[in-house]
């Protein structure tokens, strides 16, 4: 075997070792996430096993605790929630599904998060679905302009 062949074999071996290490790390991370989900399912099983709900407030409190625990665990894995009322809607992270006139909110301000978005490692996994504010007069002006173009106002 020549020196070049031995060098190529060593490089191939190192590459295979690095690939195996990455796959093992990925597998361990996936297993950790699946166990986190299994723990959450166990929590739901315990709440549901209690039978018919007699105290709706206690039930809501239990569900809220499960959701908070699950969200905390996912944040620990790098999940980043997107969408908070009061922030300015950005095209890269927010999907505007509703526009509401407002006299107090700034234009493009998120007034309601209809579905939270999520990101991971600086990437948007799913944009937040939001309702945003537009200044009340601006919306009226826009309706008036549209009506004039269509000939509805005279």
């Amino acid at each position: 075997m020549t020196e070049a062949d031995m060098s190529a074999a060593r490089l191939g071996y190192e590459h295979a070792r690095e690939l195996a290490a990455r796959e093992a790390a990925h597998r361990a991370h996936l297993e950790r996430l699946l166990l986190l989900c299994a723990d959450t399912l166990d929590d739901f099983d315990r709440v549901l096993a209690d039978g018919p709900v007699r105290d709706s407030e206690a039930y809501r409190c239990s569900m809220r605790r499960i959701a908070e625990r699950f969200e905390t665990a996912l944040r620990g894995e790098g999940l980043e929630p997107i969408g908070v009322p009061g922030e300015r809607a950005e095209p890269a992270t927010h999907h505007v599904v509703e526009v509401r006139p407002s006299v107090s909110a700034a234009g493009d301000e998120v007034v309601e998060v209809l579905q939270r978005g999520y990101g991971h490692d600086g990437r948007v996994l799913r944009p937040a679905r939001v309702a945003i504010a537009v200044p009340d007069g601006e919306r009226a002006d826009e309706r008036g302009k549209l009506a004039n173009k269509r000939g509805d106002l005279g």
Side-chain angles (χ1 to χ4, degrees), residues 23-130:
E23 287 176 355
H26 177 73
R27 189 172 37 258
H29 186 251
L30 178 60
E31 289 171 0
R32 190 169 60 250
L33 286 172
L34 290 172
L35 286 173
L36 186 150
C37 292
D39 288 344
T40 303
L41 289 173
D42 291 344
D43 290 341
F44 281 119
D45 287 343
R46 281 189 288 279
V47 168
L48 294 171
D50 286 342
V53 176
R54 290 186 179 79
D55 182 355
S56 62
E57 184 55 36
Y59 180 76
R60 274 194 297 280
C61 184
S62 294
M63 296 301 280
R64 195 174 308 115
R65 275 196 308 263
I66 292 170
E68 287 169 357
R69 192 171 138 197
F70 190 54
E71 182 176 344
T72 299
L74 289 175
R75 282 180 184 230
E77 295 296 325
L79 189 70
E80 304 155 0
I82 298 171
V84 177
E87 69 187 0
R88 183 175 168 83
E90 297 292 335
T93 55
H94 298 81
H95 176 74
V96 177
V97 295
E98 194 174 321
V99 176
R100 298 180 186 166
S102 174
V103 292
S104 60
D108 292 341
E109 179 180 323
V110 174
V111 292
E112 184 180 358
V113 178
L114 304 168
Q115 182 182 44
R116 280 194 291 180
Y118 295 97
H120 183 263
D121 282 341
R123 291 182 48 228
V124 175
L125 301 175
R126 178 178 82 190
R129 295 172 51 89
V130 298

